[in-house]
Amino acid sequence: MVNVAKKLEIGIVGLGKFGLQLGRTLTEMGHTVVGLDTGETRVRLAQDVLAQVYQANATDIAVLQQLRFQDLDIVFVSVGDSMETSLLVVLNLQEMGARKIGVKAVSTEHRKVLTRLGVDLVILPEHDVATHVAHRLANPGMLDLLPLGGGVLVQELVVDKWAGRTLLELKLVNDYGVMVVAVKPVGGKEYRFVPQAHETLERGDALVVIGKQEDVLRLVP
């Protein structure tokens, strides 16, 4: 039996550049997105992108209740540069019993308050993107940096010194706390996921590894 990813119903409060792009991407992924904004122009632009769009003020809890935002799987708040407005919308959602809340923070202070309020997901776009870019520049093989317990690195490594050895012999999990999740054979075009432990590596093979940043960067493949 094939497991199919659950399609979510997601609300987005604030349909500026970030909110609209978030909604567009989620819609393309097959999720149902309900948008809310006070601006007539932003609402009009979003109508061709999102499943439902409303022009209303989310600082009025009655509006959110009428639109049944408490019944959505996730509500993401992206209301521009106003910390006060953002916090008021979040408090309204929490009072209504919203299932899961995400927020675009406008400053480190804003992020700190949101975290203390117990918001499920808080992002500070400029800070997060700048941090990610810095790591990409310093580690050209980096595929992603996950903020899990101090930073988890997903890195591509090309085999050189490890040629002729197997993953079992390398003991990367035991000795480094790093796991190989995919292998692309030299000259190949696609990765094979969950590689076999007894598989012999060849020079030029590309490995995708995941682990704590400091552990991954110790590897010399």
Side-chain angles (χ1 to χ4, degrees), residues 103-118:
V103 184
K104 184 189 79 169
V106 299
S107 65
T108 54
E109 292 79 10
H110 187 196
R111 180 169 60 180
K112 185 181 296 185
V113 174
L114 291 167
T115 301
R116 292 191 176 183
L117 285 174

Side-chain angles (χ1 to χ4, degrees), residues 66-127:
Q66 185 177 358
L67 296 176
R68 308 292 301 175
F69 264 54
Q70 67 272 24
D71 295 335
L72 300 176
D73 295 297
I74 306 168
V75 180
F76 194 91
V77 181
S78 175
V79 291
D81 297 328
S82 174
M83 176 174 167
E84 181 180 355
T85 300
S86 173
L87 292 175
L88 184 53
V89 174
V90 167
L91 291 172
N92 283 343
L93 291 168
Q94 289 182 329
E95 184 176 338
M96 293 163 52
R99 298 176 184 176
K100 190 171 183 179
I101 302 171
V103 184
K104 184 189 79 169
V106 299
S107 65
T108 54
E109 292 79 10
H110 187 196
R111 180 169 60 180
K112 185 181 296 185
V113 174
L114 291 167
T115 301
R116 292 191 176 183
L117 285 174
V119 172
D120 301 284
L121 172 65
V122 181
I123 65 165
L124 185 55
E126 289 188 358
H127 173 274

